Amino acid sequence: MVIVGGGVHGLATAYYLARNHGITNVAVLEKSYIGSGGSGRNTAILRSNYLTPDGVRFYDRSLKLYERLAAELNYNVMFSRRGHLTLAHNDSSLRTMRWRAEVNKASGVDSEVIGPADIKKLVPFMDTSERARYPILGALYHPPGGIIRHDAVVWGYARAADAMGVHVHQDTELTGIDVEQGRVTGVRTSRGSIATRVVVNCTAGWSTLVANLAGVRLPVQTFPLQAAVTEPVRPFLDTVVVSGTLHVYVSQTDRGELVFGASVDPFASYSTRGTLEFVEGLAGHVLQLMPSLSTLRLLRQWAGLCDMTPDFAPIMGHTEVDGFLVDVGWGTYGFKAGPVAGETMAECVATGRTPELISAFGLRRFADGSLVGEKGAAAVGH
Amino acid sequence: MILIPCPWCGSRDAGEFAYGGEPTPRPDPRTATREQWRGYLYLRNNVAGWTTERWYHRMGCRRYLTVQRNTVTNEVRQP
Amino acid sequence: MKRQTRRLDRQPGEVIDRGSPLEFGWNGRSYPAYAGDTIASALAACGERVFSRSFKYHRRRGLLTASYTDPGCIVQVGDEPNVRGAHRLVTPGMDVRSQDTWPSLAFDVKAANELVGRFLPAGFYYKTFIRPRPLWPTYERVLRRFSHGGVVSPDPLSPELSSYDKRQVHPDVLVAGGGPAGMTAAVAAARAGARVMLVEEEHSLGGHLRWGDKADLAALHDLRSLLAASGVEVLTNSVVFGRYDHNHVAIVQRGLPHVYERLVKARAKTLVVSPGLIERPYVFAGNDVPGVMLSTAVRRLINLYAVKPGDRAVVLTANPQGDAAVVDLERAGVEVAHVVDARGGDDLVRVLGRGGVKGVELVGGHRIECDLVVTAVGWTAPLTLLTMAGTVAAYDSRAARYFPGTATLPDDVLPAGGVVGDGTLDELVAHADAVGREAARRAGSMSRREPAAEIPALPVDAHPELFHGPTHGIVDFSEDVSSRDLLTAVEEGYSSAELAKRYTTATMGPTQGKLESVNVVAIIAEATGRTISQTGTTTWRPPYAPVTLGALAGRHREPVRYSPMHPWHERHGAAPLVAGAWIRPDHYGDPAGEVLAVRERVGIIDVTPIGKLDLRGPDVPKLLNLLYVNRWSKLEVGRVRYGVMCAEDGVVLDDGVTGRLGDQHYLMSTTSSGAASVWEWVESWLQTEHPGWQVHVTPVTTSYASINVAGPRSRELLGRVVAEIDLTPQAFPYMHVRTGRVAGVDGCVLWRIGFTGELSFELHVPASYGLHVWETLLDSGNDLGVRAFGIEAQRILRLEKGHLIVGQDTDGLTQAFSAGLDGLIRLDKDDFVGRSELVWQAEAAAESRLVGLHPNDASVVPEEGSQLIEAGVICGRVTSSRWSPTLHRSICLAQVATEFAEPGTLVTVRLPDGRSVPATVTEHLASVDPEGARLRG
């Protein structure tokens, strides 16, 4: 079978196909180098404090797979459990934080709403005063959340899959999908053709273009998501900090750099060139949270492509074309789902049945009008 | 910041506008099937290349306008 | 105090002002300097050679490039981390300290890392600390302590470090880089009639001419005169750090009075990119020992700062710059012990010494004692701005450097100078002159009939491909990545340039690849048996130079909105509530008392932020019928109706009342948070779907101040300030509208509606009279017990009445039936927005319902967001909850699964503290006056 996309989703799918189902006759097609897309461009934040019980269960499974990934792959993916703070600047977001905390607790996930004094203890640099333009009223504190080395995850999966016999083809671009009488018969690539009955679309940014090759339309629009990193300074920020109102999230790497992200660009585009207004807005918002960082210098900005779905939930599983499966529409939260997406997609491919964990994420839900309920709290879903 | 050519105000920073996306024709609500209606709600072409889209000059003349934009290069032209 | 033992006699091109001596501090000791000195030149003049410790191995580091990109001289200045010491000018009393050293620069405990250096090869961390897993967090804590960089403080910064601003400019031609090419292009463009801005990273213009010979200095003098006469605006100590789509160009300007850094945003018609070339370090053993410098570094030190860089030098040269460095060194009294001419295939094997250069080993094992090693092995073209504009860099092996592929550049970007080619100064100037004229022509500064300028081709000099010597050395100085690390990465399969870069972190540090990226690619190419062209290049990502968050943010201001009554609220101790752009009174100290005042007497609340749209025209009823789920055709003049809007997917979007003021005149209200989006929504339906409808929409949210007068005595109070409007229940019944004079103010609109559940009148008065009307109401109602009430009291009142708040009791997926709006939805209308989905939703039962809920223990108020749980499964949530001062009990609204929505159903609420409490679904959403007798009174 053929997996399109050599990012964490494609490689994890290949890895779990081999490890859990003994299927190693797998080719992973990557048009550039592995991890060159969203996997290498995201800000590598892990958490499971979602709003719906389905979302919590799904991401909690992912977090648990991540926690044991280093030992399993014999590769240090540097998972760093830092704690994750989602700030509430108004009563409606505070209400949503409580809602999330209560759903999390009901699902056995550690989340709690904390007040400004506790936030200040966790992040001494934070302006928790009432003078702030958007005063901090509280936060959802999620101790299991953290950051990870994204490249290491990609490389770890690739090495392990390769060791079990999976073929990873870099610099190999998919150019066509052959469909006969409603079922997949093969793919064409920039480096030759492959006969196959199963193609799994694990791309981000190009998922609609790949699906179009099989004649499948996806309810997806592609938006750039930008990120930036500062020069390193001595460690001062342990937790991951997210503010939906200010459209910003911040963490400090082990190397001392601050890594920033925000929400997707205001209009659809395939550009990864980045914009000035992004870094301007970002800096303004970071300084609203932590005003004494003015002299810190921004070192690098970049962008990745995010495939946004109408309900901020992914599209996973079978399509109307027999043998063409999708694991797409991951918006801004694909990286944290890499392991569980790989595990469930592998099961889906190997058994032909859709695992219960992803049954809500099928493509049919849009035509059926049964959307997934993460939209309520997904303003900044990182 | 890219520039959007407003037929009434001239070229202005995209920040003055709200992005309206690809216009999708509204099916006749009396006859539309669920499939058609939800296609109208959710399906877009998401073209990598030239596309026709709607912008709203929120901080200017407050008119909806149509422009062509290349979604790869962000080049913009009047339709 | 230290003495300037290495300071040379006056040099012809020196930039220091010997008439202005000053003192500054370095690691707590006082050092002398001259105005014009950089931190590094001043320290070097005093004989200091070591400025920092390296990232991984904490090796001593000295000057390498003596320019902004110098990785060895990044220092802390006061509260400012990561200052480029070879670029920042010293100022009197400046407090400069070395970074990354503990306990001191001379004795660094972490240098022990170097002793275990064999344990830190490429990818070390990925391959270790894996088992046992619990150990990694411990190692990580140690690792974080090793992180590189300066110190930031949580305390507020001094004023000089915290003032930033922004400037917008619209030059015809913007020139990035003020060397001879940039200066010439700027002059040529200005002479052709263009408005020109020239930006230079260093403190003075002229590029390499500044450290050149007599002829160079004379040429520089002439260029400066031409430029001064040309009217070009020149920014020095400023960098163009990004070229974004549509030639939006970002510049950071430094060294201004009163402003620490300024972001200059240019919308340039044409951008000329002339950044010059950056000298490349040579990779060989010991290439990072203090005393190993690039040829441009020694030429800068000698000619610009009059600093003698060493006493005895060995020079490796492959080009005229290196040859000129030899001349400079000899002139400065440095003994040149040996010149290794790489053009003849000669090479350096290693540098001897650890803390400083003690000598070199040549090919064949011959050793020469020296304290300075100078290399001149080639150039890197900084292509950031050009690649941001779309060019793909192409490697030319004959010249041993990358060039921009000009064919892929947009029309509004033109390269000039060293990034394009070499040649004599005359050739460079002739080329740049033509580029400048062409830039002006493309900017439209010349007549359109003017033919395109003929841009002469620049010659490209042959240069040997010299990247590394016979031994391994440091490739990335700021990341401590060696050529051996790159080979390890390739051996382990990370063989593309991007993968090896990411695996080793080469090019990821503060020099951003400017010094090392070509060496990285060359070494990977060699290790993989490919050419450099086949290996490609690493991406140049913006910004070109690091820029402070302060400059990017500028004077960050978020607009704030206040109602005309705000001064009164402030005087009366209102607790502020941030509601989007608005600051509103949450309460005046006693929300429960405010509630009781409304229930028992009369209260007034400032509801100015309620969205208001003035709608006029014959087709307004069509618009209302389309946008609201209920029917509007028959609304009579003088009537008000509540309406709910859905999106096309049937999700509740907004709600509010709309009144008919005249035959073709309506006033629509929206939620406060929906004011802007509903206006846009209305415009979109009118403009894109029904352009033929005759409706004029005018937003009047802030044209009116809005006051709700609520309570059993509200009619009585209002009667005291209204003369011409009959307020009796018969003349002005519930859900009607009147216009007229209130408290002497004409043009007011009065609505009889009741969000609070009490008899109430909502007044919309011309905004400038808002405070007057507000104060008149309070003055007139003293004996009635009138009292101002805030948002919190209103929330309690509406919850007692069971009125839902869109966005709180509904969410982004709540469809109208789930919101309990069944009675309102008129599916028999031909069409309205969202109808199709609501028809299908009506066929299927809604999955959840909005219900009223009373905890059985009346004293328990479950926090909003508490979950309803049955048999371990979530079956709903509390959307609103408060203590009701009216009923002396807790009350809630909740979204519950339909099977639990029947009145009387017992459900279990799990509180945030873990307790579970029983609660009962009530018959009505309203807990107070469900029949509505009060508000209809």
Side-chain angles (χ1 to χ4, degrees), chain A residues 113-132:
Chain A
V113 173
I114 62 171
D118 288 327
I119 296 170
K120 187 81 182 172
K121 261 181 238 159
L122 286 167
V123 186
F125 277 62
M126 188 86 75
D127 179 4
T128 52
S129 70
E130 289 171 6
R131 302 184 306 275

Short mmCIF file of all heavy atoms in Angstrom, two decimals, chain A residues 113-132:
data_model
loop_
_atom_site.label_atom_id
_atom_site.label_comp_id
_atom_site.label_asym_id
_atom_site.label_seq_id
_atom_site.Cartn_x
_atom_site.Cartn_y
_atom_site.Cartn_z
N VAL A 113 -8.98 24.85 36.70
CA VAL A 113 -8.98 26.30 36.52
C VAL A 113 -8.24 26.92 37.69
O VAL A 113 -8.52 26.59 38.85
CB VAL A 113 -10.42 26.85 36.44
CG1 VAL A 113 -10.42 28.37 36.43
CG2 VAL A 113 -11.12 26.31 35.19
N ILE A 114 -7.27 27.79 37.40
CA ILE A 114 -6.53 28.45 38.48
C ILE A 114 -6.64 29.96 38.32
O ILE A 114 -6.97 30.46 37.25
CB ILE A 114 -5.04 28.03 38.51
CG1 ILE A 114 -4.32 28.41 37.21
CG2 ILE A 114 -4.91 26.54 38.77
CD1 ILE A 114 -2.82 28.22 37.27
N GLY A 115 -6.35 30.68 39.37
CA GLY A 115 -6.51 32.13 39.39
C GLY A 115 -5.21 32.86 39.12
O GLY A 115 -4.14 32.25 39.00
N PRO A 116 -5.29 34.19 39.02
CA PRO A 116 -4.12 35.00 38.66
C PRO A 116 -2.93 34.80 39.60
O PRO A 116 -1.77 34.81 39.13
CB PRO A 116 -4.64 36.44 38.75
CG PRO A 116 -6.11 36.32 38.52
CD PRO A 116 -6.52 35.00 39.11
N ALA A 117 -3.17 34.61 40.89
CA ALA A 117 -2.03 34.47 41.81
C ALA A 117 -1.25 33.20 41.50
O ALA A 117 -0.01 33.20 41.51
CB ALA A 117 -2.53 34.46 43.25
N ASP A 118 -1.97 32.12 41.22
CA ASP A 118 -1.28 30.86 40.88
C ASP A 118 -0.59 30.96 39.52
O ASP A 118 0.46 30.36 39.30
CB ASP A 118 -2.28 29.70 40.89
CG ASP A 118 -2.71 29.34 42.30
OD1 ASP A 118 -1.87 29.47 43.21
OD2 ASP A 118 -3.87 28.94 42.48
N ILE A 119 -1.19 31.72 38.62
CA ILE A 119 -0.55 31.91 37.31
C ILE A 119 0.78 32.64 37.49
O ILE A 119 1.80 32.27 36.91
CB ILE A 119 -1.48 32.71 36.38
CG1 ILE A 119 -2.76 31.92 36.11
CG2 ILE A 119 -0.77 33.05 35.08
CD1 ILE A 119 -3.84 32.73 35.39
N LYS A 120 0.76 33.67 38.34
CA LYS A 120 1.97 34.46 38.58
C LYS A 120 3.07 33.59 39.18
O LYS A 120 4.25 33.75 38.87
CB LYS A 120 1.63 35.62 39.52
CG LYS A 120 2.75 36.62 39.74
CD LYS A 120 2.84 37.62 38.60
CE LYS A 120 3.99 38.59 38.80
NZ LYS A 120 4.19 39.45 37.61
N LYS A 121 2.67 32.64 40.01
CA LYS A 121 3.66 31.74 40.60
C LYS A 121 4.29 30.86 39.53
O LYS A 121 5.49 30.61 39.53
CB LYS A 121 3.00 30.84 41.66
CG LYS A 121 3.22 31.36 43.08
CD LYS A 121 2.57 30.42 44.08
CE LYS A 121 1.56 31.17 44.91
NZ LYS A 121 0.56 30.33 45.55
N LEU A 122 3.48 30.41 38.58
CA LEU A 122 4.00 29.56 37.51
C LEU A 122 4.81 30.36 36.50
O LEU A 122 5.80 29.88 35.96
CB LEU A 122 2.85 28.86 36.78
CG LEU A 122 2.16 27.72 37.52
CD1 LEU A 122 0.85 27.35 36.84
CD2 LEU A 122 3.08 26.51 37.61
N VAL A 123 4.38 31.59 36.24
CA VAL A 123 5.05 32.43 35.22
C VAL A 123 5.29 33.82 35.83
O VAL A 123 4.48 34.73 35.67
CB VAL A 123 4.19 32.57 33.95
CG1 VAL A 123 4.96 33.31 32.86
CG2 VAL A 123 3.74 31.21 33.45
N PRO A 124 6.42 34.00 36.51
CA PRO A 124 6.67 35.29 37.17
C PRO A 124 6.72 36.47 36.20
O PRO A 124 6.52 37.60 36.61
CB PRO A 124 8.04 35.08 37.84
CG PRO A 124 8.21 33.60 37.93
CD PRO A 124 7.47 33.01 36.77
N PHE A 125 6.99 36.21 34.93
CA PHE A 125 7.08 37.31 33.95
C PHE A 125 5.71 37.82 33.52
O PHE A 125 5.61 38.84 32.85
CB PHE A 125 7.86 36.85 32.71
CG PHE A 125 9.35 36.94 32.85
CD1 PHE A 125 10.01 36.18 33.81
CD2 PHE A 125 10.10 37.77 32.03
CE1 PHE A 125 11.38 36.26 33.95
CE2 PHE A 125 11.47 37.86 32.17
CZ PHE A 125 12.12 37.10 33.13
N MET A 126 4.67 37.11 33.88
CA MET A 126 3.34 37.44 33.36
C MET A 126 2.77 38.67 34.05
O MET A 126 2.87 38.81 35.27
CB MET A 126 2.41 36.25 33.61
CG MET A 126 1.06 36.38 32.96
SD MET A 126 1.11 35.81 31.28
CE MET A 126 1.15 34.05 31.56
N ASP A 127 2.17 39.55 33.27
CA ASP A 127 1.47 40.70 33.83
C ASP A 127 0.07 40.25 34.24
O ASP A 127 -0.82 40.14 33.40
CB ASP A 127 1.40 41.83 32.79
CG ASP A 127 0.65 43.05 33.32
OD1 ASP A 127 0.27 43.04 34.51
OD2 ASP A 127 0.46 44.00 32.55
N THR A 128 -0.09 39.96 35.52
CA THR A 128 -1.40 39.50 36.00
C THR A 128 -2.16 40.64 36.67
O THR A 128 -3.15 40.41 37.36
CB THR A 128 -1.25 38.33 36.99
OG1 THR A 128 -0.34 38.72 38.00
CG2 THR A 128 -0.75 37.09 36.31
N SER A 129 -1.68 41.87 36.46
CA SER A 129 -2.34 43.00 37.12
C SER A 129 -3.68 43.30 36.46
O SER A 129 -3.94 42.89 35.34
CB SER A 129 -1.44 44.23 37.02
OG SER A 129 -1.40 44.68 35.68
N GLU A 130 -4.49 44.06 37.17
CA GLU A 130 -5.79 44.44 36.61
C GLU A 130 -5.67 45.59 35.63
O GLU A 130 -6.63 45.92 34.94
CB GLU A 130 -6.75 44.81 37.76
CG GLU A 130 -7.17 43.60 38.57
CD GLU A 130 -7.95 43.96 39.82
OE1 GLU A 130 -8.26 45.15 40.00
OE2 GLU A 130 -8.22 43.05 40.61
N ARG A 131 -4.47 46.22 35.59
CA ARG A 131 -4.27 47.34 34.66
C ARG A 131 -4.23 46.88 33.21
O ARG A 131 -4.41 47.66 32.30
CB ARG A 131 -2.92 48.03 34.90
CG ARG A 131 -2.65 48.60 36.24
CD ARG A 131 -1.30 49.32 36.19
NE ARG A 131 -0.23 48.45 35.71
CZ ARG A 131 0.45 47.62 36.48
NH1 ARG A 131 0.19 47.54 37.76
NH2 ARG A 131 1.42 46.87 35.98
N ALA A 132 -3.89 45.61 33.00
CA ALA A 132 -3.68 45.13 31.64
C ALA A 132 -4.92 45.43 30.79
O ALA A 132 -6.04 45.47 31.30
CB ALA A 132 -3.41 43.63 31.67
#
